[in-house]
Amino acid sequence: MINTTGGDTSSEQMAEAKPVAMAPDADEQLLEWPMKDNRPFLRAVFRVSDLDRMIEFFTECFGMKLLRIRDVPEAKCTRAFMGFGPEQSSFVLELNYSYGVISYDIGGGFGHFAIATQDVYKMVENVRDKGAGAVVREPFEVKGFSIVLAFVKDPDGYMFELIQRGPTPQPLCQVMLRVGDLERSINFYEKALGMRVLTRIESLEHKYAIAMMGYADELETTVLELTYNHGVTQHSKGNGYSQVAIGTDNVNKSAEILNLIIQELGGKITQQPSLDPQIKAKITTFLDPDGW
């Protein structure tokens, strides 16, 4: 999803739209647009079963702050925005609670969110002491990389990777999604969204390949971690994880390039540029070739 501001939106507002045909010369000019656009990662949106419990978990275990909370009666939901800094300059989590819904299917395609911390061991102990989440893997050093990682789950079962590193402007540093064709996904995010490959890792032993995609050095900003498991071309998405929002200087141009690249690589525009009256901003929404 692309959004002109840090305001909120949800996948329920998506509406199908037809692709726009363009002349070849216009195509060539549009291909340059994503690299010139200013595109910060804004937030990740996912659905939760108990908003108060999740707010308490994220503040007490991870040290996040409740930035704002917004009840939307017309949509029968309440949204809480959690982060390590203000929405204007930080990647945040939007927790979406739908009235009366007490469980969600996370699916096998969503991987994890990642948090960079100076003390993985302390954060793991916070999770263990509070008892609301679960420690999935104790802190361990990655062989050959001199980095300490751990994995924990929040009360709804969403996985969080904890990464030990020095101070960083974006502690909420990764969103990991599994894809069915890594080269296709890399091409899509490069051409349609102007990202670049920051790191590539492949393990023949464990049968996976990873591409870190983003707009700046991976130690300084949030990135998408796209993971391909050898031979697996489809993943279940469930209904818990929703979307990532990305800022743009021009929604109309961004939608045009999306229309062009989707014709080449797959995906789907789900809402052509239009004003969202709730956040007073123009947005366009889309699915990538894997349906994310």
Side-chain angles (χ1 to χ4, degrees), residues 40 50 61 181:
D50 185 325
C61 294
D181 183 328

Side-chain angles (χ1 to χ4, degrees), residues 199-248:
T199 304
R200 289 193 68 158
I201 300 171
E202 181 155 15
S203 172
L204 298 178
E205 177 185 359
H206 298 100
K207 298 181 180 180
Y208 71 80
I210 293 172
M212 300 291 192
M213 307 289 299
Y215 296 108
D217 187 278
E218 115 180 56
L219 298 179
E220 300 295 326
T221 188
T222 303
V223 300
L224 284 181
E225 178 181 340
L226 305 179
T227 297
Y228 168 67
N229 297 109
H230 293 179
V232 183
T233 59
Q234 292 184 326
H235 296 277
S236 61
K237 295 177 179 56
N239 60 357
Y241 170 81
S242 178
Q243 58 199 7
V244 169
I246 300 172
T248 176

Side-chain angles (χ1 to χ4, degrees), residues 20-32:
V20 177
M22 291 169 286
D25 57 342
D27 292 355
E28 293 180 6
Q29 294 177 9
L30 278 174
L31 288 173
E32 300 177 2

Side-chain angles (χ1 to χ4, degrees), residues 65-110:
K65 297 178 181 178
L66 174 60
L67 303 174
R68 62 186 173 102
I69 191 165
R70 182 165 173 264
D71 192 43
V72 190
E74 60 270 27
K76 297 183 179 180
C77 71
T78 303
R79 298 166 184 161
F81 296 78
M82 308 290 301
F84 292 98
E87 289 181 70
Q88 292 78 5
S89 58
S90 302
F91 186 69
V92 303
L93 297 179
E94 179 186 332
L95 315 182
N96 196 323
Y97 169 70
S98 296
Y99 301 167
V101 181
I102 60 172
S103 66
Y104 290 98
D105 173 20
I106 297 175
F110 172 78

Side-chain angles (χ1 to χ4, degrees), residues 1-74:
M1 176 175 63
I2 292 181
N3 195 319
T4 54
T5 72
D8 92 63
T9 184
S10 71
S11 58
E12 284 78 12
Q13 296 169 318
M14 294 179 176
E16 186 172 348
K18 296 180 179 179
V20 177
M22 291 169 286
D25 57 342
D27 292 355
E28 293 180 6
Q29 294 177 9
L30 278 174
L31 288 173
E32 300 177 2
W33 162 249
M35 302 305 297
K36 300 176 181 178
D37 193 13
N38 176 38
R39 295 194 172 186
F41 283 103
L42 301 176
R43 66 192 176 280
V45 185
F46 61 104
R47 300 174 179 90
V48 301
S49 63
D50 185 325
L51 197 57
D52 290 336
R53 180 179 64 175
M54 293 291 271
I55 290 172
E56 181 179 8
F57 177 84
F58 288 130
T59 54
E60 294 188 356
C61 294
F62 294 156
M64 292 187 190
K65 297 178 181 178
L66 174 60
L67 303 174
R68 62 186 173 102
I69 191 165
R70 182 165 173 264
D71 192 43
V72 190
E74 60 270 27

